[in-house]
Structure formats: structure tokens, C-alpha cells
Amino acid sequence: NPDGSLSEEKFLDLARQPQMKMFEIKLSQGAKPGKEGVLPKEKITDEIAAIRGVPKNEDVISPPRHVDWDDNEGMLRWIDNLQNKSGKPIGIKFCLGRKEYVHDLIKAMKVTGMMPDFITVDGAEGATGAAPLAHTDYLGYPLKDALMFVDNALREAGLREDIRLIASGKVITGADLAIILALGADLAQSARGFMLSIGCIHALKCNTNHCPAGIATHDSWLQRGLVVTEKSPRVANYHAAVIYEFNSVIHACGYKYPQELKRSDVMKVVDYNKIVTMDELIPQPPLKACSE
């Protein structure tokens, strides 16, 4: 809506489309936690203006907060309403800044009896060329630490089996994926690797509409550098290589399925000539029912 609130009518129109599998509510992102997003007017085409319902001649500001709620309980009731009306999974994404937030969120879940279908933990390694350098370099928890903390907190609260954990933030190789799953994620998202596969050179001009690789721009002259018939096989090859390496790592660990990976499979050097498993360093509590 013009005031920044959610239009349920537009949302339900989207939810009815079969290709819409799930919806993610962004609370913050690893590249710039606490900072709003900006879509400059130079990048707004007729198609984008129609899809987002915004004017073409103004920058679009995506505020770092949502006007539909003021606290976690309000957010969960809002999410529950969308879950019931759409029949689609609804989750949240955040870059962990304070551990207290996760405890407050879990407390609100217990009070309301409501919860998101999934939580995406975005590590501080996540990036975009449009992010302020101070936010990229200094704000937010690294992915592995944040992921293990959220996984442990949900396990201790008896909520882990009801909420899927998605991890994102510099997951580029098959080995990266294996480590993230071993540390507690159910699945991982990747943007950086696919961007590189189509020619991203980290020019850090994403927000200027002058991306020299033709990827993050709507300038028709620059877009000529993104030749779909040449780049699409590279994306497919990259994805296949990641999955191949992922499977080779699983087999090298002596496992048949990804679900067999566990935190004790990941090692960390903590001192001179001392190596411990991540489960020794940050023990993973056993799963338990919410009633416990």
C-alpha cells in the first residue's frame, strides 16, 4: 500500500500463482543490517513499476522496519494471518545482531502459539555492492556462529522440528554447503556464486545502474554484456559442479545422505596444535518436544 503496509489483496493474488512456493519476510540482511534498501529511479522500468506498484520518477525506499507490527507477538499474529489465508509457508530472514532477539522471538512463539514456517539466518558475510562499507565489515554475526546459536535456541525451546532453518551468506562451494548443513541448517541459499557464474566482477556499482558486466543494470547498452545464450550454460555448469563436490564431500565422510552430516564432522583449530570438533566447542542440544 502507499503507506508501506501490506496489501492483502495483492499478496493473495501472488499467493494464488502456482510458481509462488513460499514467502520470506525480510527483517534485515547480512550485507547491511539495520539499513534500508534503495531502488534508484534510474533502474525503475515500466515493468518494475507495474510489478511493485511504484512511480517511475522516484527512488523507492524499503524501510528497515515494517509498519504492520511493533513487536514479535504482533509479527507472529500477522504471519499467522498470512499463513491461514494463503496456505503457503511464511518465514522470516534476519542477520543476527543481538542474541537476546532470538530469545525474545522464541518467548513470543510460546505466548502466542504461533510461529513462522522457516527462519533464514543471513550471515554478515552476505554482501551487495549497494551496501555501506561499515555495515558490510562491522555489523552482524558471522553465518556459522549465528546458525549454531539459532539452531541451539530452537532445540532448547522444543521448536526445532517445527521450524526449518535456511542459511545464507557466502555459501559458494559444495564444501561450504556440506559444512553449513553439518552445523545445523536444513538448506542453504546462494547468490554470490551464481552472480559470479554469469560474469559479476565485484565492481560495486549495483546501486548506480552502471554495472559494467550488464547484470545489475537496466541500461540497454550495458545489458548487451549479459548474453543469455552464453551465460545460462555457465549457471547450469556451476550448479552441477557445486552438487558434485557436495556429494563427494559427503561420501568422503563415509555417509550416504546429507542428513547424516553432523556438527562433530566439522573441525576447528582453537590453539597451537589443538583441534576440536564444533560439537565440542558449541554442543548441539538433543531435539525435544515443545511440551518439555
Side-chain angles (χ1 to χ4, degrees), residues 161-180:
E161 291 193 295
D162 297 314
I163 298 175
R164 293 290 161 262
L165 265 186
I166 303 175
S168 62
K170 217 171 183 177
V171 182
I172 300 176
T173 68
D176 292 334
L177 178 57
I179 291 170
I180 290 303

Side-chain angles (χ1 to χ4, degrees), residues 171-183 185-188 238-261:
V171 182
I172 300 176
T173 68
D176 292 334
L177 178 57
I179 291 170
I180 290 303
L181 295 191
L183 295 181
D186 292 299
L187 62 144
Y238 165 70
H239 183 261
V242 168
I243 300 304
Y244 179 86
E245 182 180 88
F246 173 63
N247 283 324
S248 72
V249 170
I250 294 173
H251 296 156
C253 291
Y255 300 138
K256 197 172 182 179
Y257 304 106
Q259 295 87 341
E260 296 177 84
L261 289 166

